[in-house]
Amino acid sequence: VGPPPPPRLVAGTRVFLRQMRMLSFLYSIYPVRKVTDRKSSHGATYYIRNVTIADRISESFAQEMSVALGYCAHMVVLASKYLGVVLRYRIVYQASKSMVVDDVQEPVKKVALYYKESHSRGMIHGGIGMMIVNVGQLLDACNLRPSEASGGSGTHLLHRLYVLQRQIMPE
């Protein structure tokens, strides 16, 4: 038996069951798995649909990283809809060419979640940071404190998605 359901999800039994079913479907489409790795600086490597986000950006992993970030973007957009959480940063989902947008800043800041030679490497890290904030909001909605969600890899995006997935679908 898993942990008790997060309070935000218990608005009504039917609503709760529908949210859980939808999230279960979502996590079966985009499974995040943890592989213990002694060589990794975090002690583990996380994969979403068998692709990972490399710690360092390189052209050899650019396509794989873009695909993984596209999966993450789609997963976060759908989870926020199912939970009724308004995200701080708007996600423009376009598969492996997704973007994160800060509509509050003047001028509006658009950050690509994919690597392109014309983009600076810091730009993609900024986009990942914005996604981490969004996932943090989803974790808050499930009453998970950041200390519980930051385990071995700190602010790693896939780690946070893994924690969120385990809250809904315990192993």
Side-chain angles (χ1 to χ4, degrees), residues 54 79 83 102:
L83 295 173
D102 184 355

Side-chain angles (χ1 to χ4, degrees), residues 28-125:
S28 66
I29 294 167
Y30 293 114
V32 179
R33 61 186 180 88
K34 176 181 180 180
V35 176
T36 305
D37 183 6
R38 294 176 191 204
K39 295 177 184 177
S40 170
S41 60
H42 304 298
T45 303
Y46 295 88
Y47 295 87
I48 183 166
R49 293 196 60 148
N50 296 325
V51 291
T52 191
I53 301 171
D55 288 337
R56 293 191 311 183
I57 299 170
S58 67
E59 289 184 41
S60 60
F61 291 108
Q63 185 63 33
E64 182 178 319
M65 187 175 206
S66 299
V67 168
L69 287 169
Y71 290 158
C72 292
H74 197 219
M75 184 179 181
V76 171
V77 166
L78 292 176
S80 71
K81 299 259 188 253
Y82 300 158
L83 295 173
V85 175
V86 178
L87 298 174
R88 164 64 180 89
Y89 300 108
R90 181 169 50 96
I91 297 172
V92 179
Y93 174 70
Q94 296 174 331
S96 62
K97 301 288 185 198
S98 298
M99 299 179 74
V100 184
V101 181
D102 184 355
D103 292 313
V104 176
Q105 248 186 7
E106 280 297 327
V108 172
K109 181 180 178 183
K110 296 179 182 179
V111 182
L113 289 175
Y114 57 92
Y115 177 75
K116 195 173 174 183
E117 286 183 32
S118 60
H119 296 142
S120 71
R121 291 172 193 249
M123 182 179 280
I124 197 166
H125 285 297

Side-chain angles (χ1 to χ4, degrees), residues 20 23 40 69 130:
M20 293 301 284
L23 288 169
S40 170
L69 287 169
M130 293 163 81

